[in-house]
Amino acid sequence: MIAFVFPGQNSHYVGMGRDLYDADGPARLVFEVAEAGLGGDLLAAMFDGPEDALTRTDHQQPAIVTHSLAALAELSAAGIAPDFVAGHSLGEYSAVACAGCLGVEDVLELVRFRGELMARAGDQALGAMAAVLGLEGEAVAAAVAAAREDGVVVVANYNSPGQVVISGETVAVARARELCSEAGAKRVVPLDVSGAFHSPLMEPAAAPLIERLAQTDMAPAQVPVISNVDAQPRTEPDAIRDALGRQMTSAVMWEHSVRRLAEEGVDTVIEVGPGTVLAKLMGRIDREITVLGADTVEDIEAVVEQLA
């Protein structure tokens, strides 16, 4: 069985998607829809930069989803389809589109709105995030609980064994970092982000997003979507909307999601979109699963040759 997984924020790079656009295949239509709906500045930032323009949360999110859906169009045209889909944070929106719940134009409008909300929330409530390396999730959660005496701090991402991300108010995150180091973490790395994502500090962004999701027509998923919030499969639109709304302030249960895919019988995972972040995490979670990438034209040709 095959799962398509879709990358989230910070998978971007200048030049992303350019070869897919230039190849003038099925991917080209996705870029044209993005350009028509979101403006030519988005494609210019993707293809030519500058890096600062592409890194902005409100630009980066639609850029990553555009690239993912363009690569998906090429795979679909080659007859390669998933049995399950999942996405890391932002990538869950690409997964929902892949499952047939939303069209390209609708999902891009939604993620642009999400990016704008998150950027504003980050400006209004300055926070911090840090990656804790070499310490298991339970130990990180214990350190975070102890650090709450200094303010809001939570576990934001369970990415893989030994890679957990924390998020919250700056002082509380600093204290949690100290406690994680004392508990035996190999490294605790501050992240260059514009807000405390997947924490209660995103609540100002969550409310309008939930309202927008409630107003967004969705078709039932054609294949199950494994949700970030609890690693459970969903196909009904109301359940998918609820999970996407809760995702803004909830931890990303990525390690658990991958293990759920394995339990469902998935033996091949294709990372669809820019970069190799999820492929690297897969190697730490379950080495029995074959992992392929679909970022560039060359990548997609290799996937088609192997699977078609």
Side-chain angles (χ1 to χ4, degrees):
M1 298 181 78
I2 296 174
F4 286 1
V5 299
F6 296 88
Q9 200 151 324
N10 292 331
S11 296
H12 64 290
Y13 59 89
V14 174
M16 60 189 290
R18 183 63 180 260
D19 65 333
L20 290 168
Y21 181 89
D22 289 344
D24 203 18
R28 182 70 168 261
L29 179 59
V30 175
F31 290 111
E32 290 174 349
V33 170
E35 185 173 28
L38 305 180
D41 289 349
L42 175 66
L43 298 192
M46 291 173 66
F47 298 162
D48 302 313
E51 178 76 24
D52 288 349
L54 187 56
T55 300
R56 282 178 44 186
T57 297
D58 52 340
H59 284 176
Q60 186 186 151
Q61 295 200 17
I64 290 170
V65 172
T66 295
H67 186 155
S68 293
L69 296 184
L72 172 64
E74 297 288 336
L75 291 172
S76 298
I80 299 174
D83 300 291
F84 289 86
V85 294
H88 190 284
S89 189
L90 168 69
E92 191 167 333
Y93 287 79
S94 301
V96 167
C98 176
C101 301
L102 292 169
V104 173
E105 185 175 2
D106 291 335
V107 76
L108 289 177
E109 286 287 347
L110 197 54
V111 297
R112 178 172 67 175
F113 183 62
R114 180 182 186 266
E116 291 169 349
L117 291 172
M118 291 174 70
R120 285 202 297 269
D123 290 341
Q124 294 166 3
L126 297 177
M129 299 181 73
V132 182
L133 307 177
L135 191 64
E136 293 304 313
E138 290 184 3
V140 176
V144 163
R148 289 197 184 113
E149 293 181 0
D150 294 318
V152 174
V153 59
V154 296
V155 175
N157 303 66
Y158 291 93
N159 283 334
S160 69
Q163 187 185 126
V164 179
V165 175
I166 60 176
S167 178
E169 294 176 329
T170 303
V171 172
V173 169
R175 178 57 179 154
R177 287 172 55 194
E178 292 174 0
L179 293 172
C180 286
S181 294
E182 292 171 5
K186 292 180 180 177
R187 285 196 301 155
V188 184
V189 183
L191 300 182
D192 183 13
V193 293
S194 60
F197 303 140
H198 299 289
S199 83
L201 273 65
M202 286 291 111
E203 286 177 1
L209 179 64
I210 290 168
E211 183 178 353
R212 173 68 73 88
L213 286 165
Q215 298 168 353
T216 301
D217 290 333
M218 284 190 186
Q222 297 168 9
V223 295
V225 179
I226 305 296
S227 299
N228 284 186
V229 293
D230 55 11
Q232 296 300 309
R234 289 174 167 80
T235 57
E236 291 303 314
D238 285 346
I240 290 171
R241 287 192 195 93
D242 174 70
L244 288 173
R246 288 193 285 133
Q247 185 213 72
M248 183 76 82
T249 54
S250 298
V252 175
M253 310 296 286
W254 187 250
E255 178 183 347
H256 307 73
S257 297
V258 172
R259 296 197 188 284
R260 180 58 186 256
L261 289 172
E263 290 171 5
E264 295 286 352
V266 168
D267 55 18
T268 301
V269 164
I270 303 174
E271 181 173 5
V272 184
T276 59
V277 170
L278 300 185
K280 291 173 181 175
L281 293 178
M282 289 291 305
R284 301 187 188 111
I285 299 170
D286 191 331
R287 294 185 180 180
E288 299 299 316
I289 295 177
T290 297
V291 183
L292 306 172
D295 176 345
T296 66
V297 169
E298 184 179 356
D299 291 337
I300 293 166
E301 288 173 348
V303 170
V304 172
E305 183 177 349
Q306 184 165 342
L307 298 181

